[in-house]
Amino acid sequence: MELNNQLKALADKIEQLKNQIETEESTKHAFVLPFINLLGYDSFNPTEVVPEFTADLGLKKGEKVDYAIFNDGNPVMIIECKNWKEDLNIHNSQLARYFHVTHTRFALLTNGVEYRFYTDLDETNIMDQKPFLEFNVTNLKENTIHEISKFHKSNFDIDKIVNNASSLKFTKEIKKIINGELQEPTYNFVRLFAGQVYSGRLTERIMEEFSELVKKAFNQTISERVNDRLNSALNKETEKQQEEELEEEEEISKVITTEEELEAFRIVVAILRRKIVINRIVHRDTQSYFGILLDDNNRKPICRLHLDGNKKYISLFDQNKNVQREQIQSINDIYSFEEQLLQTIDYYEHEQ
């Protein structure tokens, strides 16, 4: 939950500041370093975060990657940063070269808004062409936040992340294919369904008809599933409310209002009737106390009476609704608190 809130705060910061950020260096300090920090790494600790990490390429010396994250003294992830306005697609090859020479397991390409995590699933020590985790930090889904949490210092486990990366990568690619087919079904996709429901020859005209039918059927199916889930959630909420109401009714049924409590209520009414009409004064009995309210409003308690035990009490309320509990010997002692009770009515009347 904490990571969720931190990511939301970073997203809000990005939306507020991005139009004032002009350079790559400003992007690093305003957006990327805070992201590194919320993963649990101290960007000011050179044993955890090394800026300008050396990534010499053969004879080409002096090559540096923007940041390297260290864990147990070893670099586990390199980070290449770009200006938040830049398109990341043109920078993959540069990061791939750094990945090869630094021998890390993970590489992150980011412009502070978009984040792309890579590893070497296809070939050892050769960065994959496609990221296994990709997201826009200003538009995060719950399952993505769960994946980000795996990179937190407290959770970091190379083997677990790598094993899960393959699933993430292929799932992402499959979802892209599904979305593409839903928007514009391919010939083979349409044929897959048309061949199972149409017994005639699949001519070009028939395939065109089925292209629209397949798209329509999928959209309706998705819509129906969403509605089913919403209805299910609403039904559960209704059931919960009904259960709560039943519990409340059962609790009320256990409450027995005594004649002494009703007599105490009449005393309070007698005190307050000089200031307000009596039908505004209402009592509610509970298992814990006998409450007296103004306008039948829980937010306007006048007093509470505790008369069932060996000792009797009256609870009074000040302007801030702080409770003052006083012991009484009998309900006739309620008259002693006439001034406080009238003052409580004044508090509520002045609020209006």
Side-chain angles (χ1 to χ4, degrees), residues 266-315:
R266 288 190 279 269
I267 292 173
V268 173
V269 171
I271 292 171
L272 300 180
R273 68 184 304 164
R274 71 190 68 172
K275 186 157 287 197
I276 56 175
V277 294
I278 60 174
N279 61 5
R280 295 183 64 191
I281 310 167
V282 178
H283 67 76
R284 284 193 200 172
D285 202 356
T286 72
Q287 287 184 291
S288 304
Y289 58 82
F290 181 83
I292 301 177
L293 309 170
L294 179 64
D295 300 329
D296 202 13
N297 188 337
N298 279 329
R299 298 179 184 175
K300 296 181 179 181
I302 298 171
C303 66
R304 291 174 180 169
L305 298 166
H306 310 264
L307 306 177
D308 293 336
N310 294 328
K311 294 182 179 180
K312 305 180 189 297
Y313 297 92
I314 181 172
S315 294

Side-chain angles (χ1 to χ4, degrees), residues 219-238:
N219 286 332
Q220 287 181 353
T221 300
I222 292 171
S223 178
E224 288 167 2
R225 294 194 67 175
V226 169
N227 287 333
D228 287 344
R229 293 190 68 175
L230 287 173
N231 289 333
S232 176
L234 289 172
N235 289 336
K236 286 181 180 178
E237 184 63 28
T238 301

Side-chain angles (χ1 to χ4, degrees), residues 53-68:
F53 183 65
T54 301
D56 289 337
L57 301 169
L59 298 175
K60 193 173 182 181
K61 303 298 182 182
E63 290 289 296
K64 296 182 184 298
V65 66
D66 290 311
Y67 299 104

Side-chain angles (χ1 to χ4, degrees), residues 316-322 343-344 346-348 350-351:
L316 303 164
F317 296 85
D318 65 15
Q319 188 170 5
N320 298 315
K321 296 183 183 176
N322 296 316
Q343 187 67 57
T344 299
D346 286 338
Y347 295 148
Y348 295 138
H350 291 152
E351 284 180 357

Side-chain angles (χ1 to χ4, degrees), residues 1-229:
M1 193 63 176
E2 183 180 359
L3 180 60
N4 193 343
N5 293 334
Q6 290 173 333
L7 286 166
K8 186 179 184 305
L10 178 58
D12 292 341
K13 178 182 178 183
I14 289 171
E15 292 293 353
Q16 293 171 10
L17 297 181
K18 66 181 182 181
N19 291 328
Q20 302 172 42
I21 302 297
E22 298 293 337
T23 66
E24 180 181 303
E25 204 61 30
S26 297
T27 300
K28 291 179 189 176
H29 288 284
F31 302 158
V32 180
L33 285 177
F35 180 81
I36 293 173
N37 288 333
L38 66 82
L39 290 181
Y41 296 97
D42 182 356
S43 58
F44 295 101
N45 184 346
T47 66
E48 291 187 0
V49 181
V50 179
E52 297 296 309
F53 183 65
T54 301
D56 289 337
L57 301 169
L59 298 175
K60 193 173 182 181
K61 303 298 182 182
E63 290 289 296
K64 296 182 184 298
V65 66
D66 290 311
Y67 299 104
I69 303 294
F70 276 68
N71 197 316
D72 294 330
N74 299 309
V76 292
M77 180 163 63
I78 55 172
I79 304 174
E80 182 66 12
C81 308
K82 300 300 172 186
N83 188 309
W84 74 270
K85 299 177 183 178
E86 285 197 44
D87 182 358
L88 295 181
N89 290 325
I90 60 176
H91 298 290
N92 287 30
S93 59
Q94 180 187 16
L95 184 61
R97 295 197 304 272
Y98 294 154
F99 184 91
H100 178 66
V101 298
T102 54
H103 300 288
T104 57
R105 289 309 306 271
F106 304 105
L108 169 60
L109 179 62
T110 181
N111 59 12
V113 180
E114 295 179 61
Y115 286 78
R116 298 179 182 180
F117 286 81
Y118 298 82
T119 188
D120 54 353
L121 295 173
D122 297 333
E123 190 174 348
T124 303
N125 202 32
I126 303 296
M127 192 182 89
D128 298 335
Q129 291 186 358
K130 295 180 179 180
F132 67 88
L133 178 62
E134 184 176 3
F135 57 84
N136 184 315
V137 78
T138 64
N139 184 26
L140 288 172
K141 294 181 172 60
E142 188 174 338
N143 62 321
T144 304
I145 295 173
H146 176 69
E147 297 302 330
I148 295 171
S149 70
K150 295 175 183 177
F151 284 91
H152 194 279
K153 181 182 175 182
S154 61
N155 302 325
F156 194 82
D157 186 312
I158 291 177
D159 292 335
K160 286 183 179 179
I161 297 175
V162 170
N163 290 338
N164 188 52
S166 178
S167 173
L168 283 175
K169 179 181 177 181
F170 292 125
T171 300
K172 180 166 68 74
E173 293 302 313
I174 292 171
K175 286 168 69 176
K176 281 185 179 180
I177 294 171
I178 292 173
N179 285 326
E181 295 287 3
L182 291 176
Q183 293 175 16
E184 203 61 49
T186 61
Y187 179 88
N188 288 335
F189 189 72
V190 174
R191 187 180 181 84
L192 172 66
F193 296 97
Q196 296 182 64
V197 298
Y198 184 75
S199 58
R201 183 168 169 265
L202 295 176
T203 63
E204 185 176 344
R205 182 181 64 81
I206 296 297
M207 288 295 289
E208 286 179 1
E209 290 180 8
F210 268 97
S211 180
E212 290 303 316
L213 290 173
V214 168
K215 186 191 297 187
K216 182 179 180 180
F218 264 88
N219 286 332
Q220 287 181 353
T221 300
I222 292 171
S223 178
E224 288 167 2
R225 294 194 67 175
V226 169
N227 287 333
D228 287 344
R229 293 190 68 175

